[in-house]
Amino acid sequence: MRLGAAIRRWGGGWMRRPRSAAPAGGAPSAASGEESARLEALLAARQVQRYEIERWRAAFAALPEPCVLLNQAGRVLFANREAERLLGLEEPAPAGTALDDLLRRTAGMRVWREPLADGRNAELGELVVLRDPSGEARDEQVLGEFLSHISHELKSPLNTIRSYAEMLLEGSVDRAATQKEFFNVITEESCRLAKLIDNLLDLSKIDRGALVPQRARLRLESLVGELVRAAEPQARAKGIQLAARVPSNLPTAFADKDLVGVALNNLLANALKYTPEGGRVQVRASHDEGTVCIEVEDSGIGIPPEERERVFEKFYRGASTEVRKQPGTGLGLALARQIVVLHGGTLTVDGAPGRGSTFRIVLPVGGREQREAFGLPEAT
Ligand code: ADP
């Protein structure tokens, strides 16, 4: 008896012993004993096969990509949960539906198709991976904007460096004071380039999980002091009143000084960049039980409510012309937030257009218990 026929005959009973395997009213003959053993084996094989199919279905259903499985005739065998969600299906797609009928539900759906074959190259059907058209268009737009920003950001300091260096080389600048000024511009522009590249590298390291904070005891008041002092020339040049109000009794944080410095510096640089001449920027710190809070407040252009979360996305830049007038890559806040999150903290923003912004970092602070729990060294 062939497998298919045996299964049909025994009604596919799950672990059910075939009722007619032994002739009624008598001891089983040797032949019927053999037959019954063969049927038992067939049923056990079928049980394993079903189990394998169920296991495979469960794995396929849980795939994080929206996938549809087609038979050789191009008809739907199975659509996983992500595909159902993307296609807006409230119930599982009926087996046998034509793929085109499913795809018609979402305009512009992109598909990627991979033929499936068994070990002997016999065609089994196709795996179709769906692509959310809105997500893809958004990714392409973000990537396009990023490339244009990044090339502008790289090109403008490089052009400045080149033209100032050429003037110095041509000997067209005689006065020592002017030469010094030119060298200063070259140094500043190369620092800007280095900062941009550092931000990109740090973000990519965080994405790969390769950036591990080197935590040590960190005195935030001295870090804030250093950063504010370094930003003073820039604030003066723009006529911005820059002040720090940090209590000296702030508890110690266990944090990576360089990384927290990058995050705070990005907030401070933005506050100065997005505050018009004559404005105010203030860095404040306070503490509560188990946390320390550092705020960078400015009297600048502010952020509309609908952009308050988006500004932390990689490559996102505000839509207003005031923002677009300023150079930028949309990386500073993404990096700042990732760094703060790496330290178990939060970074948020308040404010309103025309009324300034307040960026707030909240970090857990470590007492002796925290240091001991983490096995952290005392900083010098
Ligand atoms: P970039 O400044 O290079 O554009 P960021 O990631 O640092 O990138 O900031 C993302 C966006 O957040 C900015 O493009 C701007 O729209 C907004 N933003 C950041 N800081 C401020 C601020 N202090 N005031 C107003 N808008 C800000």
Side-chain angles (χ1 to χ4, degrees):
M1 190 184 296
R2 291 175 48 230
L3 178 64
I7 289 167
R8 266 197 304 283
R9 175 160 168 204
W10 303 119
W14 191 248
M15 286 298 283
R16 204 174 344 119
R17 194 184 165 86
R19 253 186 287 132
S20 54
S29 66
S32 69
E34 255 175 47
E35 165 109 338
S36 134
R38 214 173 50 231
L39 288 172
E40 291 277 356
L42 283 173
L43 284 169
R46 184 173 178 238
Q47 192 184 355
V48 169
Q49 198 184 21
R50 272 205 186 182
Y51 170 72
E52 287 299 328
I53 291 172
E54 287 307 318
R55 208 163 61 135
W56 172 88
R57 264 181 101 96
F60 187 79
L63 281 179
E65 290 289 322
C67 300
V68 179
L69 200 63
L70 303 182
N71 65 13
Q72 292 103 313
R75 298 267 159 178
V76 172
L77 280 175
F78 186 60
N80 74 352
R81 282 198 291 273
E82 276 303 302
E84 283 173 9
R85 195 187 52 76
L86 185 59
L87 294 163
L89 296 173
E90 267 151 33
E91 290 182 354
T97 312
L99 180 65
D100 285 346
D101 288 342
L102 270 192
L103 298 183
R104 221 168 274 137
R105 303 177 61 94
T106 311
M109 178 76 71
R110 307 235 185 143
V111 296
W112 175 84
R113 299 172 81 136
E114 180 70 21
L116 299 174
D118 69 8
R120 276 160 291 156
N121 268 342
E123 200 189 313
L124 291 177
E126 266 182 294
L127 175 68
V128 180
V129 183
L130 307 178
R131 283 271 166 260
D132 177 355
S134 57
E136 194 145 306
R138 202 171 53 235
D139 289 353
E140 275 169 19
Q141 189 193 345
V142 168
L143 181 65
E145 282 183 8
F146 166 65
L147 289 176
S148 100
H149 288 143
I150 209 93
S151 32
H152 173 78
E153 282 292 295
L154 289 171
K155 244 168 51 196
S156 72
L158 280 174
N159 282 341
T160 314
I161 291 172
R162 201 181 58 198
S163 53
Y164 277 68
E166 275 170 6
M167 283 190 273
L168 286 166
L169 279 172
E170 282 162 6
S172 52
V173 190
D174 297 334
R175 281 186 54 229
T178 318
Q179 284 178 358
K180 193 166 168 219
E181 203 181 300
F182 279 26
F183 280 122
N184 274 340
V185 172
I186 291 175
T187 314
E188 272 167 24
E189 292 300 291
S190 45
C191 285
R192 219 175 104 190
L193 271 179
K195 184 168 174 275
L196 169 67
I197 292 164
D198 283 349
N199 275 355
L200 276 172
L201 290 178
D202 282 347
L203 266 172
S204 108
K205 274 196 214 150
I206 291 178
D207 281 349
R208 286 181 286 122
L211 194 76
V212 181
Q214 302 299 307
R215 290 174 184 238
R217 217 173 137 125
L218 174 61
R219 292 190 54 227
L220 286 163
E221 67 270 28
S222 56
L223 176 63
V224 170
E226 276 172 38
L227 296 175
V228 168
R229 268 194 302 283
E232 262 158 13
Q234 203 192 335
R236 250 197 318 274
K238 232 178 145 182
I240 290 176
Q241 218 183 310
L242 173 62
R245 265 187 29 213
V246 182
S248 55
N249 64 345
L250 268 191
T252 311
F254 282 97
D256 186 316
K257 184 180 176 195
D258 291 341
L259 288 181
V260 175
V262 168
L264 269 173
N265 207 31
N266 286 353
L267 299 186
L268 194 52
N270 277 348
L272 294 172
K273 182 161 77 169
Y274 296 113
T275 298
E277 301 207 349
R280 277 177 299 102
V281 171
Q282 190 177 62
V283 186
R284 283 190 300 264
S286 57
H287 61 95
D288 208 339
E289 200 152 309
T291 58
V292 62
C293 168
I294 307 171
E295 291 178 323
V296 180
E297 186 189 46
D298 65 57
S299 62
I301 61 173
I303 300 176
E306 67 277 10
E307 286 189 352
R308 260 181 230 147
E309 256 314 296
R310 296 214 66 194
V311 292
F312 296 103
E313 287 174 15
K314 248 179 275 174
F315 311 130
Y316 183 81
R317 301 210 69 216
S320 73
T321 44
E322 288 153 304
V323 168
R324 298 298 165 125
K325 269 195 296 206
Q326 301 293 336
T329 52
L331 289 176
L333 288 183
L335 180 59
R337 181 174 262 184
Q338 302 239 33
I339 288 172
V340 173
V341 169
L342 267 186
H343 284 83
T346 56
L347 169 59
T348 51
V349 66
D350 282 337
R355 298 224 309 272
S357 314
T358 304
F359 283 86
R360 187 170 298 110
I361 294 180
V362 177
L363 285 176
V365 282
R368 191 158 54 89
E369 306 87 318
Q370 192 183 349
R371 195 173 69 244
E372 281 169 6
F374 281 103
L376 295 165
E378 289 261 1
T380 47

